[in-house]
Amino acid sequence: MWNLIVLAFYRFAAGGWIPAAWFEPNLPPEKDRAARTGHLSVEVVSHCWNYSHFLVYQLSSVVLFPPEKLDVTMTVFYSPEDAKTKALLDFFGQQVVPGVSWNWQPIPKQQLFRRGIGRNRAALATKADWVWFTDCDLMFRDNCLDALAEALQGRQNALLFPKIERTTDLLAENNPMLQAGSSEPQVLDIDTSSFTSRQISKATGPLQIAHGDVCRAVGYCRNIGLYQQPVESFAKCHEDRAFRWLLRSPGEPISIPGVFRIRHVAKGRYSGSETRSRLRTWLRVWQSRRRDRSAK
């Protein structure tokens, strides 16, 4: 019960009703953030639990469309208990891609289930100029990373996001695209003909590109204990909104191509009763349809 009260408080606070400086006073002012130019570095931070059939497309996209204008570190938090994800990471760890470094981070599943824990750890430890916090169902295709390198030149913003992403409809688990991702580990391309463009209005969970100096200074909701607390089942990612609040910014849009994301009905990372799972699925479909209508 106490955690529910604390959660409600922080959701209220993240709506802007409470000064963010009370909880994160060390946000570097814009003038103190490096305006780096030239050949930049970006760390992509993802996490995976029972989603190897999505992660394969993300990792493959970096292999198939490697960057030339920046260096990328692909950081993935996972639990060794997830055998399929571990096998996939073992496979990609053997792939040599110019400009790309693999950084696999095994953690106990209870820490993995609170996404803010891994993100905070990566943010505080990063050596990169910028950090892209994302989900494992997002891909970096078609000049995405090199266009990102150009868009980041001289920037001092705390938080950025791509203004356009291309997504699928909500896919069922028996969709051929998802079935293909469930096969043996391999570099796997994807048919993008069914993806459609969506306008983005703020830096949501998979689309948060944060300045490296900001990450090193404030982490990812580091001072909110609830969002750094391990849990026994996958927690909803309310910390995404809190991160924007603590950075005092919904994010600034940037124009980059090649941002693709697979949307799917089933949330394999969740556990619980069949009734609860059906309710989650119904709510997910309803929320998706509502967002699609509002975007038109």
Side-chain angles (χ1 to χ4, degrees):
M1 176 60 73
W2 175 247
N3 278 354
L4 292 177
I5 295 172
V6 174
L7 176 60
F9 169 78
Y10 282 115
R11 293 186 68 184
F12 173 80
W17 301 104
I18 295 177
W22 290 4
F23 296 90
E24 186 45 79
N26 295 323
L27 179 69
E30 184 169 323
K31 63 181 179 62
D32 291 343
R33 303 169 202 157
R36 294 186 176 89
T37 58
H39 195 88
L40 303 179
S41 60
V42 172
E43 182 171 0
V44 175
V45 178
S46 189
H47 65 285
C48 187
W49 173 257
N50 291 338
Y51 271 7
S52 61
H53 52 312
F54 299 100
L55 182 62
V56 62
Y57 288 115
Q58 179 175 99
L59 300 179
S60 293
S61 71
V62 181
V63 175
L64 295 170
F65 303 94
E68 296 181 359
K69 298 180 180 179
L70 52 69
D71 293 324
V72 175
T73 298
M74 295 295 296
T75 296
V76 179
F77 288 90
Y78 74 102
S79 168
E81 291 186 38
D82 181 354
K84 287 187 176 181
T85 295
K86 184 180 185 305
L88 183 72
L89 295 177
D90 288 345
F91 170 80
F92 274 94
Q94 301 301 312
Q95 308 304 307
V96 178
V97 184
V100 176
S101 299
W102 309 119
N103 180 30
W104 312 147
Q105 294 291 318
I107 58 175
K109 66 180 181 180
Q110 291 82 4
Q111 294 183 21
L112 187 69
F113 291 163
R114 181 78 76 179
R115 189 172 65 179
I117 294 176
R119 287 190 172 193
N120 183 55
R121 184 178 301 179
L124 293 173
T126 191
K127 301 294 192 295
D129 299 320
W130 293 85
V131 179
W132 188 329
F133 299 104
T134 192
D135 291 338
C136 63
D137 51 12
L138 189 125
M139 294 165 280
F140 311 93
R141 298 176 56 85
D142 308 303
N143 197 41
C144 175
L145 294 172
D146 283 340
L148 176 64
E150 296 176 359
L152 294 178
Q153 296 294 312
R155 289 269 193 173
Q156 294 172 290
N157 308 77
L159 189 62
L160 305 169
F161 65 92
K163 65 171 59 175
I164 298 290
E165 69 167 350
R166 298 186 64 189
T167 65
T168 62
D169 292 331
L170 288 175
L171 304 182
E173 284 295 301
N174 61 358
N175 185 278
M177 189 182 296
L178 304 189
Q179 291 294 309
S182 300
S183 60
E184 290 297 311
Q186 61 183 302
V187 176
L188 188 61
D189 204 355
I190 197 167
D191 179 4
T192 60
S193 60
S194 62
F195 288 71
T196 57
S197 296
R198 292 161 56 92
Q199 187 87 23
I200 307 302
S201 60
K202 59 187 175 184
T204 58
L207 302 171
Q208 295 183 327
I209 306 170
H211 196 290
D213 290 344
V214 170
C215 290
R216 286 180 284 273
V218 306
Y220 198 98
C221 304
R222 61 170 182 168
N223 293 329
I224 300 179
L226 178 66
Y227 295 153
Q228 303 304 323
Q229 178 181 334
V231 288
E232 291 300 323
S233 60
F234 217 103
K236 287 185 68 65
C237 302
H238 297 297
E239 61 266 39
D240 298 346
R241 186 183 185 208
F243 186 60
R244 295 193 298 269
W245 166 59
L246 294 172
L247 267 54
R248 287 71 140 174
S249 172
E252 292 291 328
I254 55 175
S255 296
I256 54 175
V259 180
F260 287 75
R261 186 164 59 88
I262 303 170
R263 296 197 299 164
H264 40 101
V265 172
K267 280 288 189 180
R269 64 191 186 192
Y270 294 121
S271 61
S273 68
E274 183 177 351
T275 300
R276 188 181 182 190
S277 296
R278 287 177 178 175
L279 178 59
R280 285 187 183 275
T281 297
W282 180 86
L283 287 173
R284 183 166 170 76
V285 172
W286 177 80
Q287 290 171 342
S288 177
R289 288 174 178 171
R290 186 183 65 173
R291 285 193 295 265
D292 289 346
R293 285 196 298 268
S294 64
K296 292 179 180 179

